[in-house]
Amino acid sequence: MTKEIWLNLPVKDVLKSRAFYEQIGFTFNPNDNPSDSTMQCMFVGQKNFVVMLFPEETLQKFSRIDLNDRSTTSQFLISIDAESREEIDHLTAKAKAAGATIFAEPEEIQGWMYGSGFTDLDGHRWNTLYMDHTKMPKE
């Protein structure tokens, strides 16, 4: 039976990507060598969801298929939640300062959600969302 799931992300420069994600507040496996340019293990969220950063060439070898052009296509949207609107604002500002492109400025959505979106250094799209369940429409 499957015990864990993790995401493998192709990146152009593993160490630049590590620095970017550290700047926005993500953590890395303390047992990994922080100067290893062949891979880095990043933790996201309170449950330490694992995101592995690999050079594009390495991930292409693993997948045995060409990688998509992330400047014009997207295969997925990585979504993370937040505990408040302020956390969304703060994370968006940190991402922008770290070099991200903001594709969706923080805004209220449907009266009970608040979110934003950014693209990391390698074109992966991240969605951040806060949900105020007290304002959620009743059926």
Side-chain angles (χ1 to χ4, degrees):
M1 181 67 179
T2 302
K3 296 186 282 182
E4 291 184 36
I5 184 172
W6 61 89
L7 177 65
N8 296 318
L9 279 185
V11 298
K12 289 176 181 41
D13 184 312
V14 170
L15 299 181
K16 280 185 182 178
S17 292
R18 178 185 170 120
F20 169 83
Y21 288 116
E22 284 179 321
Q23 195 170 342
I24 65 172
F26 294 161
T27 59
F28 284 79
N29 187 334
N31 298 320
D32 286 355
N33 176 351
S35 62
D36 182 356
S37 62
T38 64
M39 71 172 193
Q40 290 289 317
C41 176
M42 178 170 72
F43 297 131
V44 179
Q46 295 173 344
K47 295 183 180 180
N48 287 333
F49 180 82
V50 175
V51 177
M52 297 297 298
L53 305 178
F54 285 103
E56 290 175 336
E57 307 79 40
T58 302
L59 202 57
Q60 190 165 339
K61 287 178 187 173
F62 290 166
S63 66
R64 299 179 184 182
I65 193 168
D66 290 339
L67 301 178
N68 68 321
D69 178 358
R70 292 176 300 280
S71 68
T72 59
T73 62
S74 179
Q75 291 184 320
F76 53 83
L77 177 64
I78 305 165
S79 297
I80 52 178
D81 71 340
E83 294 181 4
S84 67
R85 294 169 67 106
E86 295 77 22
E87 188 176 354
I88 295 288
D89 292 340
H90 187 65
L91 180 59
T92 303
K94 287 194 304 186
K96 189 173 187 176
T101 300
I102 307 303
F103 68 84
E105 291 290 339
E107 66 180 340
E108 190 168 298
I109 306 157
Q110 299 176 1
W112 64 281
M113 296 180 284
Y114 186 77
S116 71
F118 66 89
T119 304
D120 68 17
L121 302 178
D122 293 284
H124 304 292
R125 289 180 168 259
W126 293 76
N127 174 59
T128 60
L129 190 64
Y130 164 68
M131 294 177 279
D132 184 345
H133 295 282
T134 64
K135 295 180 180 178
M136 188 174 172
K138 309 286 188 253
E139 288 188 34

